[in-house]
Amino acid sequence: MTRSANEYLKRILLSPVYDVAVNSDLQKLDKLSASLGNDIWLKREDQQPVKSFKLRGAYNKICQLSDAQLAKGLVASSAGNHAQGVAYSAKKKGVKATIVMPATAPDIKVEAVRNFGGEFVDVVLHGTSFEQAKEEALRLSKEFGYTMVAPFDDEDVIVGQGTIARELLEQNPDLDTLFIAVGGGGLISGISVFLKQLKPDLKIIAVESDESACLQAAMLAGKPVPLEHVGIFADGVAVKIIGEEPFRLCQQYVDEVITVNTDEICAAIKDIFDDTRVIAEPAGALSIAGIRKYLRTNPMQGKKFGGILCGANINFHTLRYVSERCELGEQKEAVIAVKIPERKGAFRAFCELLGGRAITEFNYRYSTDREAHIFVGIKLREGRQELAQLTESLGSNGYNSFDLSENEMAKLHVRYMVGGRPPSLLNEKLFSFEFPEYPGALMKFLDTLGERWNITLFHYRNHGAAEGLVLAGFDIQDTERGEFDQHLAKLGYIYQEQTDNPAYKFFLSDVNGVFEK
């Protein structure tokens, strides 16, 4: 039976979540507001005991269970925040719970689940993906009669998340637009079904990572559809398919869906830190990333925008990656490739053309007796318009350049590899790979790859994420290409050919001098 909007409203008002949850602050971000010319308000769900809104839905769900269900125990699958919410709630209610987490889950989140649950929670590490952990949780549920506490596609969970809306309306009833992160849809559906009944003119915008835009895909298809692949950076929203009930509510109450990229998320993490000194996890910063992007495409002044910091359980080692990428997301930095003459004083002459702009990174590589190739990061004061002016200035002074600021392979791998072409021509083909990250995973990846083809280039860097990222080149004769493609298909790794990527051709390929706009 489909629950009506009015029923959701009543149940949200009567939810017992405040047994464990706090009425989190709605804080004005003064620096960001001044920068964007609009009032920006942030709902601080990082203030919850588990540093995430997930506690609300998990606790409300458990409170609706019968004594018989509670006596048999609970089971949940999660890579992080939902697991912590269930563990905390189980301990509060004195109920046994089994939490299944993938072996790739960050140690900080695994230990947090154990600490929150104490003697009431057993943590089971199973598989290398959320889907494998979910399958194991379902198996345990069937075998032992445990009640599954779903992370988002559950009416009681949606009700619990919807209690945020009640607080928002009390704290600032004058918001014009509210931006909400979307993973499986439990948060946005609970908030929107409540607010749209009481303030229908409030605009609600869903914000997704462009690497896991399952709501956008469902909106286009008219029904939930699985994504072929989800990205690894914003792991808190890395969901392949939107929940059925969240999607039904989103269709009715969400006004717009926008997506943001990794650099924009990193910039939003910095925005939140600058105003609050809190470090949001990538998924937790989605709403601020969405506000920034929305105002770039829809310039306006004097409006009141709200966002939700929905989680702050970030893996510490991810911070180095965030720091590297945030200024690209703010459009305060650009990375470009440039050809300069191979002669004395050429670098100094190039720097003079930059007009006093700060250089954030410089990689130089001798190419021929006539020219050198450089990979350079440049501070920008006026964003992309300034970069266009700089490119024109370089071109008019004889410097051929192209922008790598949106080239993911260049930012992930090439910037750390500038410095070598093979001494002789190779039949080199380049591929990027993703594989589950856990102790020994890199060796397993190499073992699985095998020794049939000679590896000519290799770069791996641990980003503190659940997936390892590798760039690898292979010496493949044209007559062997079909066999090689069959080999890759059997490996089971996500991969993409990068042989035609201009960053590769410019800095690393044996095709000397290739330069593409």
Side-chain angles (χ1 to χ4, degrees), residues 175-197:
L175 290 176
D176 298 303
T177 308
L178 182 62
F179 293 75
I180 307 173
V182 175
L187 178 66
I188 193 169
S189 57
I191 291 175
S192 61
V193 71
F194 185 93
L195 289 178
K196 280 292 191 177
Q197 293 181 78

Side-chain angles (χ1 to χ4, degrees), residues 389-433:
Q389 295 169 351
L390 174 60
T391 301
E392 183 179 348
S393 174
L394 290 173
S396 63
N397 283 274
Y399 291 92
N400 204 358
S401 68
F402 68 98
D403 182 18
L404 293 175
S405 303
E406 302 297 327
N407 188 310
E408 193 66 15
M409 192 188 83
K411 292 182 290 186
L412 275 174
H413 297 289
V414 173
R415 73 190 309 169
Y416 306 106
M417 302 174 67
V418 173
R421 284 193 174 85
S424 59
L425 291 176
L426 299 171
N427 294 299
E428 187 174 64
K429 304 298 180 185
L430 193 70
F431 296 84
S432 56
F433 295 88

Side-chain angles (χ1 to χ4, degrees), residues 480-496:
E480 301 173 325
R481 182 57 195 265
E483 183 184 353
F484 180 81
D485 288 344
Q486 290 177 8
H487 179 68
L488 286 189
K490 292 177 182 177
L491 295 182
Y493 293 119
I494 296 167
Y495 69 91
Q496 183 177 356

Side-chain angles (χ1 to χ4, degrees), residues 347-372:
F347 176 48
R348 181 175 180 178
F350 168 75
C351 291
E352 288 176 351
L353 276 176
L354 299 182
R357 296 178 179 88
I359 293 177
T360 59
E361 181 173 0
F362 184 82
N363 290 299
Y364 167 89
R365 179 59 175 163
Y366 171 90
S367 181
T368 69
D369 291 339
R370 300 184 307 278
E371 65 183 30

Side-chain angles (χ1 to χ4, degrees), residues 283-295:
L286 276 180
S287 61
I288 295 300
I291 290 172
R292 266 195 174 276
K293 183 169 186 176
Y294 184 80
L295 287 174

